[in-house]
Amino acid sequence: MGEAVTPGLLGSVAVAAALLAALATAAVVLDGVLGARSEGRSSRPALTRPVDEVARLLRQRRRAPLSADTLLWRIGGGGLGVAALLMVAVVPLGEWVIADLDVGVVWFNTMDVAVWALVWLTGWGANSVHSLVGGYRFLALALAYELPLMFALVAPAVGAASLDVREIAAAQGSLWFVVWMPVAFAVYCLGVVAFSVWGPFTPPAGSDVAGGVLSELSGVDRLLVQAGRYALLAAGAAFAVPMFLGGGSGPLLPGWAWVVLKSAVLLAALVWLRRRLPSARPDLVMEVGWVVLLPAVLLQDLAVAVVVAWRG
Amino acid sequence: MLVDIGFWVLAVLAVASAVLVFVVDSMARATYALAVSFVAVGFALVLLQQNYVGVVTVLMMLMEMAVMAVYMVMYMGMNPALMPMSMVHGKRAALAVSGAAFVVLGAGALLVDWPVRRGVPAPDVTAALGEALMGRQMLVMVVISPVMVATIVGGVVLAAHRTRYDRFGDDLRRRPARDPQRGGVGR
């Protein structure tokens, strides 16, 4: 801590933000193509979908309901993208990382908990019933997915005996953690999908509550929230690379290219999954999270701890 | 120099947002003003090079405030933004007590004869802190933890008005249990 704010730091933040934006944009295009395919439409319009959406939302009038708490509302909506950027700040691109934090895993976890507050504030601030229902739904889902997600993050940290993301990536020289921690990886991916309000975890923004947290958002506010969701999905995929997928290790290409490639592949898989899974009802997911996922991931942690202790 | 600036920014932010808790007229704003205050304290801990303790403080406080906002709104039954409320009750006594506490603690911090450092900090301060807090007391912690969990479970059981006879019937044989809320794993 306390290092000087140099152009180098600002430059690296810009590069990380550009990479995150590129991944998120690719996810928007892929989701559009998959959506068009499943409905039998031409997938041509989906290719320009990010540009079209940005142009449309930037030109749209920015409305706010009566007596909305605009301050909290906009903090919530604008914060999602910031949280995603702060997540990727600890992801090493090969040798290079923005913030070489010795507790990077805890930092990522802190940012995904910040999403609790941000989504709830987005729901609350609008002063509208559907929006508020969406905010509460998110917290209900969060209580179900967060503890399994936390214990899923514990497994690679125990495996590498470190909370430093770079050391965790380096500890997977011979065997990727995803191979011998499959349960933790699956639960982690579920957590990423959940904190991005994506796929089975879309009920907070569901069409049955008129768009939930999204219902009152328009113009640039809506753009920030939607972009933030995609950015969170991309950041979650990127963080999985050093945690489970061997970081920058791979033949021929340099380390940073492998990190980007692996993130893109996992992100594509998460985008594809959206249409394959049913939506998770907030009132039912609690029991699934605590009765099925939590014991499963705790057993995974136990297995990892036993292996680590046995290897010495 | 940068650490000094960072400390002052965080210190002013922590105190100012703590004051805001009692100034704003909305439950959500009060809760999240408190969250900002705690987050500033967490980052002040990071400035003390207690990275783990600092970041975990931020994590816990954000989670706690997100849940606390829900409970506060639930018990107060307040409509978002439409009904202004006050976080202050018994203003005079509260002001006197908190002012006195602030003066005592502040004076203590400024006037006490702080000892000079002997030796050097451990290379891994987090591990050293954990050792100091938990090392000798591990046995006590291991014994107390199940007792605390049992207390929580017992409290919930005593407070819940439905018993297992309501769920499983008089002979405790009804399957699945009759619950007002269906669970997610088909029990």
Side-chain angles (χ1 to χ4, degrees):
Chain A
M1 290 311 290
E3 73 269 49
V5 181
T6 57
L9 178 62
L10 290 177
S12 2
V13 172
V15 170
L19 275 175
L20 186 65
L23 279 175
T25 311
V28 178
V29 172
L30 179 63
D31 186 52
V33 169
L34 291 175
R37 278 250 182 98
S38 69
E39 290 168 21
R41 287 183 282 114
S42 158
S43 53
R44 182 74 59 78
L47 297 178
T48 55
R49 186 175 168 224
V51 183
D52 297 347
E53 269 298 285
V54 170
R56 182 180 74 85
L57 289 174
L58 281 181
R59 289 176 57 210
Q60 194 178 57
R61 179 188 281 206
R62 192 186 195 190
R63 286 175 286 110
L66 189 68
S67 301
D69 193 335
T70 357
L71 177 69
L72 294 186
W73 197 29
R74 289 184 179 152
I75 287 176
L80 293 174
V82 177
L85 188 57
L86 288 172
M87 279 179 185
V88 292
V90 293
V91 175
L93 263 177
E95 290 300 302
W96 174 83
V97 62
I98 296 179
D100 188 15
L101 194 61
D102 56 350
V103 290
V105 178
V106 190
W107 176 257
F108 174 85
N109 202 187
T110 306
M111 287 308 118
D112 90 63
V113 168
V115 174
W116 290 35
L118 296 171
V119 174
W120 186 80
L121 286 175
T122 312
W124 170 271
N127 189 29
S128 133
V129 67
H130 289 123
S131 186
L132 187 62
V133 169
Y136 278 113
R137 278 188 178 184
F138 184 79
L139 279 189
L141 289 174
L143 287 172
Y145 79 73
E146 188 64 44
L147 274 178
L149 173 60
M150 281 180 167
F151 283 105
L153 291 174
V154 164
V158 171
S162 173
L163 290 169
D164 189 327
V165 184
R166 278 219 277 202
E167 283 180 24
I168 293 177
Q172 304 170 58
S174 50
L175 192 62
W176 289 4
F177 281 165
V178 64
V179 178
W180 58 291
M181 305 174 186
V183 179
F185 179 67
V187 170
Y188 171 82
C189 288
L190 207 66
V192 170
V193 167
F195 69 62
S196 323
V197 199
W198 183 257
F201 292 91
T202 27
S207 51
D208 56 335
V209 282
V213 289
L214 301 175
S215 61
E216 300 292 343
L217 290 162
S218 58
V220 67
D221 300 319
R222 191 179 188 87
L223 175 65
L224 284 178
V225 171
Q226 294 288 46
R229 283 170 69 197
Y230 277 99
L232 281 170
L233 196 67
F239 191 73
V241 174
M243 292 293 276
F244 293 100
L245 303 175
S249 65
L252 298 176
L253 295 174
W256 64 267
W258 273 113
V259 174
V260 175
L261 194 65
K262 290 172 186 174
S263 314
V265 170
L266 181 59
L267 180 60
L270 294 179
V271 171
W272 177 79
L273 267 181
R274 176 190 188 182
R275 285 159 213 290
R276 305 283 147 183
L277 296 173
S279 109
R281 279 180 48 179
D283 52 337
L284 302 187
V285 171
M286 188 61 167
E287 199 168 296
V288 177
W290 284 63
V291 176
V292 181
L293 295 183
L294 193 54
V297 78
L298 280 174
L299 284 175
Q300 171 81 87
D301 288 346
L302 177 67
V304 171
V306 167
V307 168
V308 168
W310 178 61
R311 284 199 311 205
Chain B
M1 181 61 188
L2 268 175
V3 175
D4 289 345
I5 296 173
F7 171 78
W8 280 105
V9 168
L10 290 171
V12 170
L13 187 64
V15 175
S17 51
V19 170
L20 273 181
V21 172
F22 300 98
V23 175
V24 295
D25 62 355
S26 138
M27 194 72 86
R29 286 192 176 195
T31 308
Y32 282 97
L34 189 56
V36 169
S37 181
F38 281 134
V39 168
V41 172
F43 282 113
L45 284 170
V46 174
L47 283 185
L48 295 175
Q49 302 191 338
Q50 287 282 0
N51 288 1
Y52 179 78
V53 180
V55 176
V56 159
T57 304
V58 176
L59 190 162
M60 296 305 295
M61 287 306 154
L62 281 177
M63 200 181 223
E64 199 173 306
M65 290 303 133
V67 174
M68 195 181 87
V70 172
Y71 277 93
M72 297 223 319
V73 174
M74 188 163 72
Y75 288 129
M76 296 291 279
M78 176 202 156
N79 200 9
L82 287 181
M83 267 190 265
M85 45 71 70
S86 169
M87 288 289 286
V88 188
H89 308 283
K91 285 186 192 176
R92 285 205 188 131
L95 268 179
V97 169
S98 53
F102 184 80
V103 168
V104 168
L105 291 174
L110 290 175
L111 298 179
V112 80
D113 192 12
W114 293 102
V116 284
R117 165 177 279 168
R118 283 166 300 182
V120 288
D124 186 348
V125 281
T126 306
L129 186 65
E131 187 71 32
L133 285 176
M134 298 287 278
R136 294 263 189 83
Q137 290 83 1
M138 202 38 135
L139 185 64
V140 181
M141 292 288 180
V142 167
V143 174
I144 287 180
S145 304
V147 175
M148 279 166 58
V149 173
T151 312
I152 295 170
V153 173
V156 172
V157 168
L158 289 176
H161 70 100
R162 296 179 81 247
T163 66
R164 57 189 168 148
Y165 296 105
D166 297 309
R167 300 189 67 224
F168 297 120
D170 290 341
D171 53 1
L172 297 178
R173 287 206 183 143
R174 185 197 298 135
R175 291 293 183 282
R178 190 165 65 200
D179 288 329
Q181 172 72 53
R182 197 158 62 89
V185 292
R187 290 184 307 159

